[in-house]
Structures are given as C-alpha cells and as structure tokens.
C-alpha cells in the first residue's frame, strides 16, 4: 500500500506529520498486521472496543470518533466524525492516486460471475484487481479499492444494492470509466417497491460514470430503455436476437457452454444461456479496452468462478451436485432451473429449492410462479422454507414426487436426500444465502 501517515492526515484534516508508511488498512482487528491502520466501525459491536487488540496485532494508527478523553495512547490517531465515511474518503483518494481504469458491474443476477469473467478477460492484457468474494457494498467496495496492488491498471468492481441511493454512493467513490447492468430481476424488491424501482436503482451506477464513459445494458429490458435515453455517456446493448453485441448459443454440456459472436467461437466453463449473456458483457468490456477476439476467448475459456455460483461438486456417493446457493430471486431461479432441465445428463435430475428472501408482498405469488420452470425433466423436487409452501401447493396439482420441509426440519431433509440420491443422479440446489443450503451440500459431501 502506498499511503503515509501524513497523507492520511491531509485527507482527514488531521495534524499528524509523520512520513511513516501504512502497510494495510483493516476494519477487522483480527486481520491487523504490522504497520496497519485500524478502522473501528459501529455495527453489532462498536469497533472502538477493539483498538487495543488492533494495537497488539501491529496497528500503528487508528481512526477515532469517540470521546476525546478516551483516545488510545501510543498510536497515530485520526479523529473523525464518522469512521465509515472517513474510510470511504480514503478509498476515493487512493483510487485517484493509483489511477487505474475502473470497471463497474451491477445487476439483480450474474454480477459476480460477470465480474469474474471480465477480470479474466482484461487480465490477458492488463494488471488487474477485482472485488474479492462479495465485498460489493459501502464497506466492501472501499475495502477492495484500498487493497488493490499499487501496480493495478484495471480495477473491476462489483456493486451491490439493497436500497435506493446505495449505488449512487458506490459509483461516486469509484468514478467508473465503464459500467454494466447485467439484468433487472426482483432481488430486494421488498425495499425498492417494483422492478421499475429496481431498474432506477441499478441506473445509479452512472452517478459517477465519467462523461466519456460507456454503459452496457441488456437489449431486452424495456425498463432500462427510457432511463438510458437521456444519458450523456455512450450506451451499448447486448443480447441474443437484438442489441449492438449479439451471441448465438451453440452447445451446452454439464461443464461448459459454447457460443458464437460475429463468427468467432467462444467457450465458458459454466452452464446456461444466462451465463452466455454474462460473457457478452465481458466480451464487450474486452473490446472496449482494445483486446482482440483471441485474447478475449483465452480469458473466458477457463476463468475462475467465485464460490457457490453454479459450481459442480460431488456428493459422498458420487452423485453430481450443482450448487447455486449464494442468492436467489425469481428471475435467477427460473434461469438456472431452465438450464438444468436442458442439460444432457445420465441418471435422474433432482431439484432442491429454498426460500427466496426479500420479495415483499408478492412473495407467495413469485414462489408459486416457479412451477412454470418445473417439468417432467425433474424426477423429484425438494422444497425447503416457509415461502416454498406456496410452490408446494402449486406443484402438488401436477407433480407426484414433490416433498416439503420446514426450516425446523432441515436435518430431516438432509437425511431424506442422503437416503434417496443414487451415484448416477444430479442435484441442483438453489436458494437465498440466508436459507443455509451450503450446510445441506456439506452434509451430502460428508463420507
């Protein structure tokens, strides 16, 4: 990290005058190492309680917004009104100092996978750094910026949102050179009111987009059309049958998807036409940054996917498990169900679906509508959670092999699955992260 105590003091309007170098910035005292700056945040527990622990672990400086009479000793102390805002200010300064090109990616679904694809493509030509895991909010994004190497040429940032205004802040901190919206779904509709409200929220990614920048959006999303029409920046659309950049899906197997763009064949190591759409975004970023088709193809063919996003693994008895359990909304669940149904697999296809959270007043209807994506391709359907009762009632009309388990009966569901699945079977697990399907996967993998 290329920051001194004096620089930080100037940013935060403090009086420290040391040229001492800061090696790292952390808000978790357990991650503090020698010569770090500690950022005490107020959450479930007040981070100010852990300043002494941070000092023991090697911190030489801390932010401080508590009573001045309790200022810690033997540390460089930067007194601020709000430690989180100060943390964000440091990130904004550091981004300007390192001066990478910034790529911003948001969307109701696919933003993490698209981030992974885009970084892999751009890494063919540039020194890149990307959002690690799901660090995509008002803490995670500045953390990502402050942890990028000094040599970073392109910074690929994932941006998440729960409420209106969230992306405005993130975009203003990062000032993207280029940005993309992958898809408008129903995630967080409880807070944003409607898909139209979600579309407006996603468009906040342009709040800090540079005037000569570009925005990539899906061509088949009518909610975005009126919103992008007044943008000063260039807008490029992508899709299958419409848009400036189009792809044709050629073949999908258990472990890959092949497609064509402008006569060039590409391959990605994930299933589903929805992931081909994500690859279209990565392709578009690649061309925007001057890469040729061969370089883009090399980046896409074996990119590394963030954990729990449509990943294959094995159960203890050899059955295949397709895990997509980090988040869920109706659009995302429908897409992965359709893709799983189309896969040419031997053995039975079994589906385990858990509640989709934060859908508001329409939650029962949205869960019930998942019946449109469940057909005879699936030998058995396991449903888990309070909201899945609505889908259970719907499926009982047409499906004989459908089973329901409440949240209190998770262990019963695990036991039933263990007894049921055969070595040649394939299982899809999909649900919101809060439903804990990762625990089910771990249990199935235990020998």
């Amino acid at each position: 990290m290329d920051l001194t105590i004096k620089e930080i003091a100037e940013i935060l309007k403090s009086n420290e005058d040391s040229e001492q170098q800061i090696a790292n910035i952390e808000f978790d005292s357990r991650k503090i190492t020698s010569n770090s700056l500690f950022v005490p945040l107020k959450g479930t527990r007040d981070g100010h309680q852990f300043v002494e622990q941070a000092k023991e672990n090697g911190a030489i400086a801390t932010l401080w917004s508590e009573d001045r009479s309790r200022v810690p000793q033997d540390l460089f102390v930067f007194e601020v009104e709000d430690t989180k805002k100060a943390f964000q200010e440091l990130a904004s300064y550091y981004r300007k100092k390192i001066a990478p090109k910034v790529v911003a990616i948001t969307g109701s679904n696919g933003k993490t996978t698209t981030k992974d694809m885009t970084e892999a493509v751009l890494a063919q030509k540039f020194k890149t750094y990307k959002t690690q895991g799901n660090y995509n909010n008002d803490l995670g994004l500045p953390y990502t910026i402050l942890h990028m190497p000094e040599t970073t040429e392109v910074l690929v940032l994932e941006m998440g949102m729960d409420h209106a205004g969230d992306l405005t802040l993130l975009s203003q901190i990062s000032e993207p050179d280029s940005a993309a919206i992958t898809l408008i779904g129903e995630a967080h509709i409880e807070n944003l009111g409607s898909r139209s409200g979600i579309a407006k929220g996603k468009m906040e990614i342009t709040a800090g987009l540079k005037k000569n920048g570009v925005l990539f959006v899906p061509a088949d999303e009518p909610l975005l059309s009126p919103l992008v029409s007044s943008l000063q920046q260039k807008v490029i659309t992508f899709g299958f049958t419409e848009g400036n950049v189009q792809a044709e899906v050629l073949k999908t197997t258990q472990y890959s998807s092949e497609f064509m763009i402008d006569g060039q064949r590409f391959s990605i190591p994930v299933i589903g036409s929805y992931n081909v759409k994500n690859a279209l975004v990565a392709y578009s970023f690649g061309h925007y940054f001057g890469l040729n088709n061969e370089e883009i193809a090399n980046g896409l063919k074996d990119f590394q996917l963030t954990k729990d996003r449509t990943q294959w693994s094995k159960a203890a008895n050899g059955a295949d498990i397709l895990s997509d359990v980090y988040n869920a909304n109706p659009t995302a669940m429908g897409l992965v169900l359709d893709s799983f149904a189309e896969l040419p697999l031997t053995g039975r296809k079994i589906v385990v679906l858990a509640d989709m959270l934060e859908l508001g007043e329409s939650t029962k209807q949205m869960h019930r509508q998942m019946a449109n994506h469940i057909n005879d391709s699936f030998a058995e359907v396991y449903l888990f959670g309070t909201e899945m009762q609505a889908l259970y009632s719907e499926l009982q009309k047409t499906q004989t092999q459908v089973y329901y388990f409440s949240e209190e009966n998770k262990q019963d569901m695990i036991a039933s699955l263990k007894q049921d699945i055969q070595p040649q079977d394939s299982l899809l697990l999909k649900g919101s992260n809060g439903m804990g399907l990762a625990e089910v996967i771990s249990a199935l993998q235990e020998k």
Side-chain angles (χ1 to χ4, degrees), residues 54 80 102 108 125 216 226 231 245 289 370 372 382:
V80 296
V102 177
S108 298
K125 190 172 182 177
F216 301 102
L231 275 185
V245 187
F289 281 94
M370 289 301 99
N372 297 329
Y382 285 74

Side-chain angles (χ1 to χ4, degrees), residues 151-176:
T151 56
T152 302
E153 295 174 312
V154 180
L155 178 64
V156 183
L157 294 174
E158 177 184 333
M159 296 186 180
M161 65 176 291
D162 293 328
H163 301 84
D166 289 352
L167 287 187
T168 294
L169 172 65
L170 302 186
S171 184
Q172 289 172 343
I173 291 171
S174 58
E175 294 184 357

